[in-house]
Structure formats: C-alpha cells, structure tokens
Amino acid sequence: QVQVVESGGGLVQPGGSLRLSCAASGSIFSINAMGWYRRAPGKQRELVALIARDSITDYADSVKGRFTISRDNAENTVYLQMNSLKPEDTAVYYCYVDDRQPLQGLKRSWGQGTQVTVSS
C-alpha cells in the first residue's frame, strides 16, 4: 500500500502565503501524476492543481497565477505553494498520488487532508 501524508496547512491572513507538502511512501512502484484537490464547506470538491511525472502542470482557473505546484521525484513528494491567498481559498486540501502498480494498473491514494483557513 501507498501512504500519503500532507503537511503545511494553517491559518493565514488574506494576501499571505502557505506551502503545502505531500509525501508518498510504502509500496511505491512508479508514481505518475500527483496533485491537490480541495473541498470548501458547502461546496463540491475542486481540482486545484496537478503535475505529471514529466512536470507538465495544470491549474484551476481560480488559482492560476497565485498557486504553483512542483514535485521532487526522488523524494516522492509534491508541493503546493499558495500566494496571494483569499478567503475563498479556505478549504480542506487533499493530496493524491497515482501509482502505476504492475498488476493493478494505475492506483490512486489519498492523504488525510489539511485545513487551510484564510481569515483576518
């Protein structure tokens, strides 16, 4: 099994920055895409950003120009640098990792979520 652990959430004022980290460990074979979703109270889950193994990235329109996703393949880690944070960025952020298992094919594992609160 693949374990996914996030860190870096917290409380920040509007306009501030936070950096989320997500590390995968365990029975990793070959990690493909990694990314972040978020779920705000009363809203549907939203894909925030993803990064492919070759570092091609994609972002939700709501975070383009403010958030940057990056990865360290040697450490099986993905980061989300969040700048110019807004109250509407408040949500629980979930990391996911897509690992290509030799028998099961592509398998997605999720972290437990980390709370990000943007408030003055």
Side-chain angles (χ1 to χ4, degrees), residues 10-88:
L11 173 65
V12 64
Q13 292 187 342
S17 297
L18 279 176
R19 188 192 196 208
L20 305 183
S21 300
C22 170
S25 61
S27 302
I28 294 170
F29 187 75
S30 176
I31 293 179
N32 284 242
M34 307 174 81
W36 296 88
Y37 277 82
R38 68 185 179 187
R39 186 187 295 275
K43 294 187 178 181
Q44 290 188 334
R45 186 180 68 174
E46 176 187 26
L47 176 62
V48 177
L50 66 88
I51 183 166
R53 184 168 182 84
D54 57 4
S55 295
I56 292 176
T57 60
D58 196 16
Y59 297 90
D61 288 342
S62 58
V63 307
K64 282 180 181 176
R66 300 187 298 121
F67 291 11
T68 302
I69 190 170
S70 60
R71 64 190 285 170
D72 182 335
N73 290 334
E75 298 294 330
N76 296 321
T77 300
V78 62
Y79 305 96
L80 186 67
Q81 178 65 44
M82 304 185 294
N83 298 329
S84 302
L85 282 161
K86 305 175 180 180
E88 51 263 44

